């Protein structure tokens, strides 16, 4: 009796068939359409994707099932980072985003339940707010030193062989492994030239966050094995300890672990062992008090004011209504995230600062003393006060706090024009 040939990995685990299942593909298409995004190197928008798939999907499906599909290079796009420098994004074509999304949905269901409870980034049902709240809990429990680790250009430096080795331990369908490797090696187009990608997982594709969590799961396991208290959100990792000496020890050993085991470098200039209230984590910090409260990091506040100033430059020849309409989406998004702060006075002060900024812009637009006088009088400002303010030698910013402008442009005017409030009084 002859021995039977072992079954192929594809037969042992027909994962590619699960990826190409109709329901999974419909869900992937809906997600890619909802996320929108700019076209890749082929110029095809996501709006054109459904029609393209109706015509070409049978051929693409056959290529996926036979492991002959070849992704196209990603388009290199540089965006400024909040703290300076540039973050390189790799924008895949709409078709490659669709296929990556289909892979992500299947792999995430399998892998995510195995990841650490201390990992919060790019995971279903987990958020940055949960990560910040967990960090706050550690500080409240007396872990009043933080080992703040910043990985240098993490997404650009991921080692492909290490990553694929970890994926191979979890997947037996070699077609899927080959496809993931093909996405990693697809190359980058910049200024019309395609460069090979020998390391890194390009930010911009749906699959990259899951792959980054897969690699950094090794770090999570090592920290858990040591019994350390930590919070990780993507490549932002904070470890909480009770003394500076313990923090320095952890920093040295984890830096060594990351370099030797994962071939990742810790950015020494951005990493530190410090008090939690002296560092920021995901845009937040904590107060130095027996019961630490969540505070907005100073750098986040500075970025907010810079963004508002861009929209309220006095030389922009647009109406107050237009300025508020332009600002509103940003303010809504900012409030949804930073409203998690536990210092309402900071939000109230920002509301006042924003209205003052708008008043100074309006005053500048009125320009001449005759018009300023007329506008103030039309807004129920007394003749004497209107004349005194219109003739004042002081600049718009100082006069934005004057009684005349507060009467002429009270808070309710901005509310009526749709200006969102950053702080809303909680119901009694």
């Amino acid at each position: 009796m002859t021995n039977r040939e072992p079954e192929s990995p594809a037969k042992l685990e027909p994962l590619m068939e699960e990826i190409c299942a109709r329901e999974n593909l419909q869900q992937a298409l809906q997600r890619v359409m909802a996320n929108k995004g700019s076209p890749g190197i082929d110029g095809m928008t996501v709006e054109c994707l459904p029609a393209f798939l109706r015509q070409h999907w049978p051929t693409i499906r056959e290529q996926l099932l036979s492991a002959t599909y070849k992704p196209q290079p990603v388009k290199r796009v540089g965006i400024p980072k909040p703290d300076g420098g540039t973050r390189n994004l790799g924008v895949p074509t709409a078709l490659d985003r669709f296929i990556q999304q289909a892979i992500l949905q299947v792999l995430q269901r399998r892998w995510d339940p195995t990841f650490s409870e201390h990992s919060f980034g790019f995971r279903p049902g987990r958020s940055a707010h949960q990560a910040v709240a967990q960090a706050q809990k550690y500080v409240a429990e007396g872990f009043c030193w933080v080992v703040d680790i910043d990985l240098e250009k993490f997404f650009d430096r991921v080692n492909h062989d290490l990553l694929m080795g970890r994926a191979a331990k979890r997947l037996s369908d070699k077609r899927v492994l080959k496809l993931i490797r093909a996405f990693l090696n697809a190359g980058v187009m910049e200024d019309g030239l395609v460069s090979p990608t020998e390391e890194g997982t390009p930010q911009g594709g749906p699959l990259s966050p899951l792959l980054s969590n897969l690699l950094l799961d090794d770090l999570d396991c090592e920290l858990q094995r040591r019994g350390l208290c930590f919070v990780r959100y993507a490549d932002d990792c904070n470890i909480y300890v009770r003394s500076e000496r313990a923090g320095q020890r952890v920093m040295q050993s984890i830096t060594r672990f990351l370099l030797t085991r994962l071939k990742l470098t810790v950015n020494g200039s951005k990493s530190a062992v410090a008090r939690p209230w002296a560092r920021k984590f995901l845009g937040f910090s904590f107060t130095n008090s027996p019961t630490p409260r969540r505070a907005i990091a100073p750098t986040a506040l500075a970025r907010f004011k810079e963004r508002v100033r861009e929209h309220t430059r006095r030389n922009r020849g647009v109406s107050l209504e237009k300025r508020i309409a332009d600002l509103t989406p940003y303010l809504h998004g900012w409030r949804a995230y930073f409203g998690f702060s536990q210092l309402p006075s900071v939000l109230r002060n920002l509301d006042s600062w924003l209205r003052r900024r708008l008043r100074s812009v309006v005053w500048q637009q009125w320009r001449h003393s005759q018009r300023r006088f007329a506008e103030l009088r039309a807004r129920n400002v007394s003749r004497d006060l209107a004349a005194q303010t219109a003739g004042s030698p002081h600049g718009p910013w100082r006069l934005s706090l004057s009684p005349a402008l507060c009467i002429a442009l009270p808070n309710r005017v901005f509310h009526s024009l749709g200006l969102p409030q950053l702080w809303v009084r909680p119901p009694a």
Side-chain angles (χ1 to χ4, degrees):
M1 181 176 175
T2 59
N3 292 331
R4 296 177 59 189
E5 290 289 323
E7 291 186 295
S8 69
K11 291 180 180 177
L12 289 171
E13 186 185 36
L15 204 60
M16 191 62 82
E17 282 76 9
E18 188 177 342
I19 290 168
C20 293
R22 184 179 184 84
E23 184 178 347
N24 186 57
L25 295 173
Q26 288 176 337
Q27 184 182 349
L29 182 59
Q30 289 173 359
R31 181 60 60 87
V32 170
M33 296 286 289
N35 289 342
K36 299 182 179 179
S38 61
I41 64 170
D42 61 356
M44 184 169 69
T45 64
V46 293
E47 289 78 14
C48 298
L49 185 58
F52 179 85
L53 291 173
R54 280 193 294 271
Q55 183 177 355
H56 298 284
W57 177 247
T59 302
I60 297 167
R61 183 178 187 275
E62 179 56 36
Q63 291 173 351
L64 291 171
L65 294 176
S66 61
T68 58
Y69 180 82
K70 294 187 183 302
Q72 296 190 66
V74 299
K75 182 171 68 174
R76 171 65 52 82
V77 177
I79 61 171
K81 297 172 69 173
D83 298 331
T86 303
R87 175 179 287 114
N88 289 325
L89 297 186
V91 180
T93 64
L95 175 60
D96 285 341
R97 289 208 296 274
F98 165 68
I99 294 173
Q100 284 194 37
Q101 181 65 36
I103 298 170
L104 169 69
Q105 291 166 182
V106 171
L107 296 188
Q108 194 163 55
R109 287 195 294 268
R110 292 168 173 244
W111 294 357
D112 192 78
T114 70
F115 290 154
S116 168
E117 63 179 357
H118 300 272
S119 165
F120 292 87
F122 308 118
R123 297 183 60 190
R126 289 176 165 252
S127 68
H129 285 173
Q130 291 174 337
V132 172
Q134 182 61 60
Q136 181 184 13
K137 182 180 177 184
Y138 287 141
V139 177
E141 289 172 353
F143 295 91
C144 53
W145 288 88
V146 61
V147 183
D148 186 356
I149 294 177
D150 181 276
L151 296 175
E152 189 171 320
K153 296 185 177 179
F154 167 71
F155 285 94
D156 296 333
R157 302 260 173 97
V158 168
N159 183 283
H160 288 178
D161 291 335
L162 286 175
L163 178 58
M164 292 308 303
R166 279 143 185 81
K169 291 178 181 179
R170 294 170 178 256
L171 299 174
S172 60
D173 190 330
K174 292 189 177 179
R175 297 169 300 176
V176 179
L177 288 169
K178 183 179 178 181
L179 183 56
I180 293 173
R181 171 75 81 165
F183 277 119
L184 292 174
N185 294 338
V188 174
M189 177 176 282
E190 189 172 17
D191 297 328
L193 299 176
V194 176
S195 305
T197 46
E198 298 175 353
E199 62 179 1
T201 57
Q203 289 178 273
L207 201 50
S208 291
L210 179 65
L211 296 178
S212 69
N213 274 334
L214 174 64
L215 185 65
L216 290 175
D217 190 54
D218 278 27
L219 172 61
D220 298 341
C221 291
E222 176 66 15
L223 295 174
Q224 286 183 245
R225 185 186 67 79
R226 299 186 187 190
L228 293 168
C229 298
F230 71 98
V231 180
R232 183 175 67 79
Y233 190 96
D235 57 332
D236 286 332
C237 184
N238 277 8
I239 306 165
Y240 293 88
V241 294
R242 294 188 184 275
S243 70
E244 183 179 13
R245 186 176 178 182
Q248 295 292 354
R249 210 165 43 236
V250 168
M251 176 66 85
Q252 292 175 9
S253 61
I254 292 302
T255 298
R256 188 165 53 249
F257 171 86
L258 287 165
L259 185 61
T260 57
R261 286 284 298 275
L262 300 181
K263 301 189 186 306
L264 296 172
T265 303
V266 171
N267 187 329
S269 63
K270 293 185 178 180
S271 303
V273 176
R275 296 292 196 178
W277 43 88
R279 303 294 292 179
K280 64 180 177 67
F281 181 52
L282 302 177
F284 290 91
S285 185
F286 305 107
T287 59
N288 179 11
S289 55
T291 303
R293 291 184 293 169
R294 296 183 296 272
I296 302 170
T299 51
L301 291 173
R303 284 199 301 272
F304 171 84
K305 289 190 173 184
E306 182 182 350
R307 184 70 176 270
V308 170
R309 287 189 184 103
E310 289 175 8
H311 282 284
T312 57
R313 292 195 308 271
R314 293 170 191 157
N315 59 357
R316 286 184 70 206
V318 297
S319 66
L320 179 62
E321 291 81 359
K322 172 64 175 170
R323 290 177 191 271
I324 290 176
D326 290 345
L327 267 174
T328 293
Y330 173 70
L331 295 176
H332 278 309
W334 196 91
R335 182 180 64 187
Y337 186 74
F338 287 105
F340 194 56
S341 164
Q342 293 176 309
L343 299 181
S345 60
V346 174
L347 297 175
R348 286 197 298 267
N349 289 340
L350 285 179
D351 274 330
S352 298
W353 177 85
L354 176 55
R355 290 190 295 265
R356 184 180 177 188
R357 180 81 188 171
L358 291 171
R359 287 189 185 104
S360 69
V361 167
V362 172
W363 187 251
Q364 179 73 13
Q365 286 184 329
W366 288 346
R367 289 187 174 275
H368 305 296
S369 58
Q370 295 92 336
R371 184 181 175 188
R372 289 172 174 173
F373 177 80
E375 294 284 0
L376 291 175
R377 288 292 292 136
R379 288 166 172 79
N380 299 319
V381 178
S382 69
R383 177 176 291 274
D384 289 345
L385 184 56
Q388 178 186 348
T389 308
S392 172
H394 297 304
W397 182 246
R398 179 164 175 178
L399 287 175
S400 63
L401 282 180
S402 67
L405 273 179
C406 290
I407 294 170
L409 296 169
N411 294 353
R412 66 175 180 272
V413 168
F414 300 110
H415 299 162
S416 69
L417 294 175
L419 182 70
Q421 287 183 263
L422 301 177
W423 181 78
V424 180
R425 186 184 301 275

